[in-house]
Amino acid sequence: MSQPQSRLAGKVALVTGGSRGIGAAIVERLATEGAAVAFTYAASPDRANALAAKLTADGRRVLALQADSGDPQAILAVVARAQGELGGLDILVNSAGITLHTPIAEVSVAEYDRLMAVNVRAVFLAAQAASKVMPDGGRIISIGSNLADRIPFPGLTLYTASKTALIGLTRGLARDLGSRGITVNLVQPGSTDTDMNPADGPMAPPQLATMAIPRFATPAEIAGGVAYLASPEARGITGTALTIDGGFNI
Ligand code: NDP
């Protein structure tokens, strides 16, 4: 049995939205477990390059690639580039995401289109493209949200709809790809301390009040769930969601 540190040795992963927050922790975790990792960013080249440089200095194989998840061509190009430059593609993690906390009456068509393009269409396109080149036994993991199961606050209709769409996408893909042993799963974080949802932000108190364990998760805790689903041990888990939310939804 291989040690956890080398569970992913010889594997190649692509992580979308890996420059900051949860995605950056996933990049670090998968690379530390032995995978070669390409990751995307949209607008933070300095953060992305610093992460790649740090992990490369630690002896990991890591590639930072600019690709806006809202652009279908960029998604397809980055899947091809990751596969070409790292010599395959075994694991896709869709982590790039944006949020919108706005009263329903004020949500514009442009905001709807942008959020759905980044949070849902990009996941579909990346999974479609990756599954064409992935070997049997591959892994597709997307970062959803615990809000897909229960939404206790107003102003998050569009974001919640996008994350709930990922449940259907995950189940459908799990059926489509199961005959090849490719597993498709969601990790649904709850409140996690990142730029998107800082633990000391104005929205933190109502979140903490809703949790059984009133504490924001660290991005590394979410990455631990992703690494488990990516590991050989999890080969029988597909079409499901692992919720890591401190009991927010119980
Ligand atoms: P952050 O805002 O802290 O980081 C977002 C990351 O996604 C950055 O790396 C950013 O890149 C990248 N990104 C954003 N838009 C695009 C785009 N159009 N194309 C490519 N990359 C993009 O978010 P979190 O780390 O908090 O969130 C990560 C995921 O987890 C999201 O899907 C989010 O919805 C989900 N989530 C987060 C929760 C939380 O409490 N934090 C709770 C539940 C779910 P760049 O640096 O270039 O901007």
Side-chain angles (χ1 to χ4, degrees):
M1 196 71 164
S2 60
Q3 295 304 305
Q5 284 73 14
S6 58
R7 283 191 299 191
L8 303 179
K11 303 291 186 193
V12 174
L14 170 62
V15 180
T16 68
S19 47
R20 293 183 285 120
I22 291 169
I26 294 168
V27 169
E28 187 153 5
R29 179 69 185 255
L30 299 186
T32 303
E33 293 213 22
V37 184
F39 72 90
T40 69
Y41 62 95
S44 302
D46 294 347
R47 298 281 294 267
N49 291 329
L51 177 63
K54 182 185 109 169
L55 293 169
T56 302
D58 286 346
R60 313 296 173 187
R61 198 156 171 226
V62 175
L63 199 59
L65 304 170
Q66 201 280 335
D68 178 357
S69 285
D71 175 354
Q73 294 312 319
I75 289 286
L76 300 183
V78 90
V79 170
R81 205 172 150 198
Q83 188 219 1
E85 295 199 20
L86 296 178
L89 185 56
D90 304 285
I91 301 161
L92 168 69
V93 183
N94 296 296
S95 184
I98 52 177
T99 190
L100 186 72
H101 196 177
T102 306
I104 185 66
E106 294 168 22
V107 177
S108 70
V109 172
E111 285 170 329
Y112 180 101
D113 286 346
R114 175 72 183 164
L115 191 139
M116 287 298 185
V118 172
N119 288 11
V120 183
R121 187 177 66 190
V123 174
F124 175 82
L125 291 174
Q128 184 186 46
S131 66
K132 288 181 189 169
V133 298
M134 208 171 248
D136 290 2
R139 298 282 190 270
I140 298 175
I141 301 156
S142 303
I143 306 301
S145 168
N146 66 340
L147 297 179
D149 291 332
R150 189 169 79 95
I151 171 68
F153 312 122
L156 288 160
T157 295
L158 189 53
Y159 178 74
T160 301
S162 76
K163 295 302 188 180
T164 305
L166 297 185
I167 296 175
L169 207 61
T170 297
R171 290 178 180 158
L173 286 166
R175 283 281 177 203
D176 284 340
L177 303 174
S179 63
R180 294 166 51 200
I182 296 174
T183 70
V184 189
N185 290 292
L186 271 183
V187 171
Q188 297 191 145
S191 309
T192 307
D193 186 19
T194 67
D195 296 340
M196 182 187 281
N197 189 12
D200 59 358
M203 282 305 295
Q207 294 176 67
L208 293 167
T210 310
M211 298 163 77
I213 302 170
R215 179 184 68 80
F216 272 47
T218 64
E221 291 174 70
I222 311 304
V226 172
Y228 169 63
L229 290 170
S231 76
E233 259 183 310
R235 64 182 170 275
I237 301 174
T238 197
T240 192
L242 172 59
T243 298
I244 304 173
D245 74 348
F248 183 99
N249 274 349
I250 57 176

